[in-house]
Amino acid sequence: MTASIIDGKALAEKLREQVAEHVALLKSNRDLTPALAVVLVGDDPASQVYVRSKGKYCREVGIESLEFKLNANVREDELVALIKRLNHDNHVNGILVQLPLPSHLDPATIINVIDPQKDVDGFHVTNAGRLATGQDSLVPCTPLGCLLLLLRHYDQDLSGLNAVVVGRSNIVGKPLAQLLLRENCSVTIVHSRTRDIEDITRRCDILVAALGRPQVVKENWVKPGATIIDVGINRIQQEDGKIKLVGDVDFDSVHHVADAITPVPGGVGPMTIACLLANTVRTCCIGNAINAPAWLMD
Ligand code: GUN
C-alpha cells in the first residue's frame, strides 16, 4: 500500500481565498478592515520567520497586520500594559502573542490578559474552557487546521472513529482531542510517559503526531489503513550537511502502511496560517456584532 497525500497546501489556499472574499465584503458593505496585532518578544529566529510569514499572508487577503516587537528583557508589566492597550483599541480585532516567550515571562499569565474575544490563538483559559465544555469559542489554529483536513478526508463525518493524539500540549494536543471528541471520535491522548505507546497507536484509525520530535512515529506505530496527520516541523541536518524539514512522522516508512498522510512541508503548516486568518476575520465579526458566515465557525 502507498498512502495518498492529504494536500494541506491546496485546502489552505481555498480557505485563504474564502477569507479574502469575506474581507472584501466587510470592506465594501461595512467599511471594516480586520486588523491583527502580533506581539513578538525577543529575537528568536524561528519566531521572527513565523511572524514575518503571518504578516505576509495577512496582507495577501486584505487583513491589516500590526507588529509589536519588544526587547527580550521587557518587564511583565510593560508587556501587560501593551496587551491592555490593544484590548481597548477598537481598531484591533485579533491579538496574538508569539510563543515561546523569554523564560522570565509566564505564558499563561500573559495570554490570560488578552481579551478572550480578541484571542485569535484560542489559548485564553476562557476559550480553552468553552471548547472543553462544548460552548462556542475561538479555537487554536493548528488543531483547527488538523480538524478541517480530517473532515474533508472523511467527507465531514468522523463519528465513531478511534483517534489517538500523540502529545499533550495546550497549543495542539489537548484542544485537538476536544475537537475530535466533539466530532464523536473516541479519543486517546498519549505522551512521553505512556507505556507501550505503539500498542495504543496501532489500534487507531486516525493518528495525529504532535510531539515536536523528528521522525519518531514509525511504521510499527501505525494500523494498516490509518490516516496520519503530522503536526511536526523539525529542521534536521542531513549527511551532506544540508538542512531538511521533517515531521514527527517517519514519512518514508509510514507511507507504506497508512491509507493517507499529510506531508511536511505542505500539510498542517499552511492550514495553521489559513486558520489564523479565518480566526482574525471571526474576531472582527464578533467585535462588530456581525454574524460570521458558517464556514468561519469551527
Ligand atoms: N508558537 C508556536 N505555535 C504558535 C501558535 O500557534 N501561536 C503562537 N502565538 N505562538 C506559537
Side-chain angles (χ1 to χ4, degrees):
M1 184 190 294
T2 301
S4 65
I5 301 297
I6 299 177
D7 190 347
K9 198 163 161 250
L11 187 61
E13 228 169 86
K14 214 174 117 198
L15 187 51
R16 291 202 307 273
E17 274 168 26
Q18 282 180 297
V19 169
E21 281 166 20
H22 201 73
V23 169
L25 278 180
L26 287 170
K27 265 182 203 163
S28 60
N29 295 350
R30 309 261 183 170
D31 201 23
L32 288 172
T33 300
L36 172 65
V38 176
V39 180
L40 175 62
V41 183
D43 40 25
D44 175 62
S47 292
Q48 286 176 329
V49 171
Y50 288 134
V51 167
R52 259 202 306 278
S53 171
K54 283 166 187 168
K56 171 180 152 278
Y57 281 107
C58 275
R59 286 186 288 278
E60 254 180 49
V61 298
I63 291 174
E64 187 179 351
S65 168
L66 308 162
E67 284 175 20
F68 297 84
K69 295 185 177 159
L70 303 180
N71 205 286
N73 51 25
V74 69
R75 290 196 320 268
E76 182 184 287
D77 64 306
E78 292 172 312
L79 179 54
V80 166
L82 169 62
I83 296 170
K84 286 187 174 166
R85 181 157 69 75
L86 297 170
N87 282 345
H88 291 111
D89 185 341
N90 288 336
H91 182 71
V92 172
N93 303 114
I95 303 171
L96 179 153
V97 177
Q98 184 67 31
L99 301 176
L101 288 168
S103 57
H104 68 285
L105 297 168
D106 172 41
T109 304
I110 298 301
I111 284 160
N112 288 326
V113 177
I114 299 172
D115 177 347
Q117 297 205 336
K118 294 190 174 189
D119 172 33
V120 281
D121 265 325
F123 294 164
H124 190 287
V125 71
T126 297
N127 282 314
R130 291 181 69 89
L131 177 62
T133 52
Q135 299 173 72
D136 196 25
S137 71
L138 284 156
V139 173
C141 305
T142 299
L144 182 54
C146 294
L147 179 72
L148 295 177
L149 288 171
L150 284 167
L151 283 170
R152 193 188 55 154
H153 182 71
Y154 284 98
D155 213 7
Q156 308 302 319
D157 184 11
L158 305 180
S159 188
L161 293 169
N162 289 322
V164 63
V165 179
V166 187
R168 55 177 157 175
S169 70
N170 291 336
I171 293 180
V172 184
K174 285 181 205 159
L176 182 56
Q178 297 293 351
L179 288 172
L180 292 169
L181 204 53
R182 201 176 67 180
E183 295 298 327
N184 302 310
C185 288
S186 301
V187 184
T188 307
I189 300 181
V190 297
H191 49 79
S192 53
R193 303 286 178 89
T194 303
R195 291 187 195 140
D196 302 323
I197 205 164
E198 306 93 315
D199 292 345
I200 299 170
T201 57
R202 249 199 321 265
R203 288 202 298 266
C204 286
D205 307 304
I206 294 170
L207 188 161
V208 183
L211 2 29
R213 282 192 289 135
Q215 299 172 313
V216 172
V217 175
K218 307 280 185 200
E219 188 177 351
N220 65 326
W221 289 46
V222 174
K223 172 167 130 171
T227 300
I228 314 294
I229 304 290
D230 190 351
V231 176
I233 301 176
N234 309 285
R235 284 169 181 78
I236 60 164
Q237 191 158 28
Q238 292 173 288
E239 276 169 18
D240 60 7
K242 286 189 182 151
I243 300 292
K244 186 183 177 196
L245 220 51
V246 298
D248 293 350
V249 176
D250 182 9
F251 185 94
D252 290 343
S253 78
V254 167
H255 92 284
H256 295 301
V257 187
D259 172 62
I261 185 167
T262 58
V264 177
V268 174
M271 288 301 292
T272 297
I273 298 244
C275 289
L276 172 66
L277 304 176
N279 274 354
T280 304
V281 174
R282 215 177 142 190
T283 56
C284 180
C285 293
I286 294 169
N288 291 284
I290 298 167
N291 281 333
W295 62 267
L296 259 182
M297 308 305 283
D298 45 276

